[in-house]
Amino acid sequence: MRLSTVILPIHRWSEGQKIWRRAEDLGFHTAYTYDHLSWRSFREEPWFGSLPTLTAAATATERIRLGTLVTSPNFRHPVTLAKELITLDDVSGGRLTLGIGAGGAGFDATALGQEAWSPKERADRFGEFVPLLDELLTNDATTRAGTYYSAVEARNVPGCVQTPRVPFYVAATGPRGLRLAAEHGQGWVTYGDPRGAADVPVEQAPAVIAGQLAKLAVACEARGRDVAELEKVLLQGSTAEKPLQSLDAFVDWAGRYREIGITELVIHWPVPDSIFANDLAVFERIATEGLAQLG
């Protein structure tokens, strides 16, 4: 099992770079950031762009992997996104992971002046977005006509440092998204029950994710893939569980999810006076000692 963190893009870089370096020093496998234009309670607070932040983090670190959790079609187009990802993969020396999802109905959904898409349209768009992005990142030139997304002789030379492209970690719980994860993903991401993750009783939360893992296995089998090929990533923070309250609480939480098949846990870097307010000293102890105590 691996342990990673999410660092929100809320810090001016004079301070933010210290956090990204500290994440590397603490031994996290990956440091992710959210790819939003603004987000929930931080809407009136500082919030910087994810890809420039990750590019800066790539120059400030040497070993830790970097990624989005998650990028969505809400304000992205595969052609322009592919160019930026290839650049970031190069700057980072092949340390980039793309977390990608269908997006939701938050601020990003209408920031470009469009009406918020229905769940069906989000799924339809995601179903075009992922295969086209895959093609763009693995070919020097791409032409494809779609209902929502097209490319005309889109050039991507020299391509990604990682081969055949940067890994995709697909966030999905529904059947169409799980099929995309099975077909294009090197990893799969969940945060819990999408119908109301925070309302699921603590004792039932692992069973919800175990059910999602079972559906992922079925989707992989239908594509002729072994589900073991995919990393299974759990993003902490959307359930009633409180694994960052103490080292013991984390060890109990991590053990439950390792038992059902999760291979990577992602915990939020503490942000004072927010929903992510946690004791930094406890957090750092979890980072350095937590997984070792699983045995």
Side-chain angles (χ1 to χ4, degrees), residues 10-294:
I10 59 176
H11 307 279
R12 290 196 180 276
W13 192 241
S14 57
E15 292 300 318
Q17 62 184 301
K18 300 173 186 176
I19 297 175
W20 290 85
R21 291 192 183 106
R22 183 61 178 157
E24 180 168 78
D25 292 342
L26 289 170
F28 283 109
H29 176 259
T30 303
Y32 299 97
T33 198
Y34 283 0
D35 187 21
H36 293 292
L37 297 174
S38 59
W39 190 75
R40 297 187 185 179
S41 59
F42 294 87
R43 182 166 171 77
E44 306 302 329
E45 304 295 329
W47 189 277
F48 295 96
S50 64
L51 297 184
T53 296
L54 290 171
T55 304
T59 66
T61 59
E62 297 178 353
R63 303 175 305 280
I64 194 169
R65 289 194 64 83
L66 308 166
T68 58
L69 209 62
V70 293
T71 293
S72 83
N74 269 344
F75 59 93
R76 300 285 186 188
H77 190 284
V79 170
T80 52
L81 178 61
K83 184 66 71 174
E84 293 177 341
L85 294 173
I86 286 171
T87 304
L88 179 50
D89 195 44
D90 181 68
V91 173
S92 68
R95 291 185 284 138
L96 176 63
T97 296
L98 178 71
I100 187 169
F107 306 125
D108 296 344
T110 55
L112 300 185
Q114 76 270 35
E115 294 292 327
W117 303 324
S118 67
K120 180 183 183 302
E121 185 174 354
R122 285 201 301 270
D124 290 344
R125 286 175 175 271
F126 195 47
E128 278 193 18
F129 194 98
V130 174
L132 178 53
L133 186 62
D134 192 340
E135 188 173 347
L136 286 159
L137 291 173
T138 51
N139 294 283
D140 290 347
T142 300
T143 296
R144 176 186 286 210
T147 302
Y148 302 106
Y149 304 106
S150 298
V152 180
E153 285 295 308
R155 306 289 183 177
N156 284 301
V157 179
C160 298
V161 174
Q162 300 174 87
T163 56
R165 55 156 169 75
V166 301
F168 288 3
Y169 282 15
V170 180
T173 56
R176 296 176 67 183
L178 290 170
R179 286 196 295 269
L180 287 172
E183 184 171 357
H184 298 278
Q186 286 65 56
W188 167 78
V189 181
T190 184
Y191 60 82
D193 191 331
R195 296 167 298 179
D199 299 326
V200 175
V202 169
E203 63 274 11
Q204 295 178 18
V208 169
I209 292 174
Q212 294 171 356
L213 283 164
K215 293 177 181 177
L216 177 65
V218 170
C220 285
E221 183 177 5
R223 297 299 305 178
R225 290 189 71 183
D226 183 348
V227 70
E229 296 176 12
L230 275 70
E231 296 294 335
K232 293 88 176 173
V233 183
L234 172 60
L235 172 62
Q236 168 266 335
S238 294
T239 71
E241 299 162 301
K242 303 294 182 183
L244 303 185
Q245 287 188 332
S246 68
L247 180 60
D248 288 344
F250 172 83
V251 172
D252 289 345
W253 177 75
R256 288 194 296 272
Y257 286 102
R258 184 177 70 169
E259 184 175 342
I260 65 172
I262 293 295
T263 62
E264 182 178 341
L265 298 170
V266 185
I267 58 178
H268 289 86
W269 196 277
V271 180
D273 302 317
S274 78
I275 60 172
F276 302 124
N278 285 289
D279 187 287
L280 183 59
V282 172
F283 177 85
E284 292 198 350
R285 191 176 177 203
I286 287 169
T288 55
E289 302 177 35
L291 293 186
Q293 294 203 14
L294 288 178

